[in-house]
Amino acid sequence: MISPLTDLGLELPVLAAPMAGGPTTPELVIAAAGAGSIGFLAGGYKTAQALAEQIAGARSAGVGFGVNLFAPSPVPVDPGAFRAFARAIAPEARAYGLDSAEARIMENDDHWEDKIDLLVSSPVPVVSFTFGIPEAAIIAALRASGTLVVQTVTSPLEARTAAEAGVDVLAVQAAAAGGHSGTWTPHLASPAVSLPDLLKAVHKEVPLPLVAAGGIATPDTVTEVLGAGAAAVMAGTVLLRADEAGTSAPYRAALADPARRQTVMTRAFSGRPARALRNDFTDRYSSLAPDGYPALHHLTSPMRRAAASANDPERINLWAGTGYRHATAEPTAQILHRLASRV
């Protein structure tokens, strides 16, 4: 298929998804490029300066790469619900000497303007957006600078809106995906539509090239979704144990733990729906967590960092898609080549 993706010189139709919070590293992105693919630096939760440093690392390797940003799509939290949840999780925070009960509501836009200024003034090959769609002027400015713009969508309606805004490519994410859902309406439950069916529905709405995401874990899945109309696929969860990933030790161990047999959708860690391995925190607090991103993200972040340092998998967000059993401890290039082995 001739598409804007063709200009990236991809040898493999399997891209490395951005995984914010540590798993995606410049080394992983560079390894993906070395395999004939492309990876996306995860700009979420980073300052513009920190992102610039990672971009410099990828550029120094002389490889193609992308950058992903969380588009501002705040979910205001009800103050009363926030305080009730903060009190509810206080025992978990106290285990690490932290006091969540008195935490203040923190809201921000994840340094949005600074990061857009960085990417317009110092263009990268590809920029993708998740959680929402930026203003059409931002999309136009990035495209004018030579950047390919990719928009994450989770429904035909979002796909049509993104196409009308002028993006080049759609990353179509199904409910099987690990981590945060890219939905633009996080207060609503996403329908459990299979990725092939979602691709077909989106393809009927828009003529743009599609990159399939969500549950990409085996060679058979890759061939199935390419047959359903995707120009390429994007893999995330299967790379969490890759040699070049920055995934924490307890997170890696949990992915390989045969006792962990289920993923769940939860708002408990961030106030936005996300798929994770079930653990004690999701069991206790998923039903109590209100909508509220990034307020709940900031509330639980200190506890999660402390738990990761203490090798405690029960109080960290073990983001994982439904194909997590296929995550293996080996080089990124081997994982990507295996996924593409039947193409």
Side-chain angles (χ1 to χ4, degrees), residues 2 7 21 44 86-87 101 127 160 249 263 318:
I2 301 299
D7 295 336
R87 290 191 297 268
V127 170
R160 186 165 62 248
T263 63
L318 303 170

Side-chain angles (χ1 to χ4, degrees), residues 11-87:
E11 298 173 19
L12 297 182
V14 183
L15 318 184
M19 296 177 286
T24 291
T25 62
E27 291 76 18
L28 189 152
V29 170
I30 292 167
S37 177
I38 191 171
F40 288 76
L41 295 169
Y45 309 132
K46 291 185 177 72
T47 64
Q49 179 58 39
L51 178 58
E53 291 171 1
Q54 290 208 334
I55 289 172
R59 279 197 175 118
S60 68
V63 301
F65 63 96
V67 171
N68 173 259
L69 297 185
F70 293 161
S73 181
V75 182
V77 70
D78 175 80
F82 177 89
R83 286 189 288 270
F85 188 67
R87 290 191 297 268

Side-chain angles (χ1 to χ4, degrees), residues 92 96 250-251 254 257 259-260 269 277-285 303-304 307-308 310-318:
E92 314 297 336
Y96 293 105
Y251 192 172
D257 183 354
R260 297 199 184 267
F269 292 108
L277 290 177
R278 180 181 173 185
N279 64 5
D280 287 351
F281 197 85
T282 63
D283 283 352
R284 293 170 184 160
Y285 303 109
M303 176 201 68
R304 290 182 280 133
N311 202 36
D312 173 9
E314 302 305 332
R315 296 182 177 95
I316 60 177
N317 50 300
L318 303 170

Side-chain angles (χ1 to χ4, degrees), residues 242-268:
D243 295 351
E244 298 86 355
T247 313
S248 69
Y251 192 172
R252 287 176 180 268
L255 288 162
D257 183 354
R260 297 199 184 267
R261 300 173 181 172
Q262 185 179 3
T263 63
V264 295
M265 291 298 293
T266 182
R267 289 175 168 82

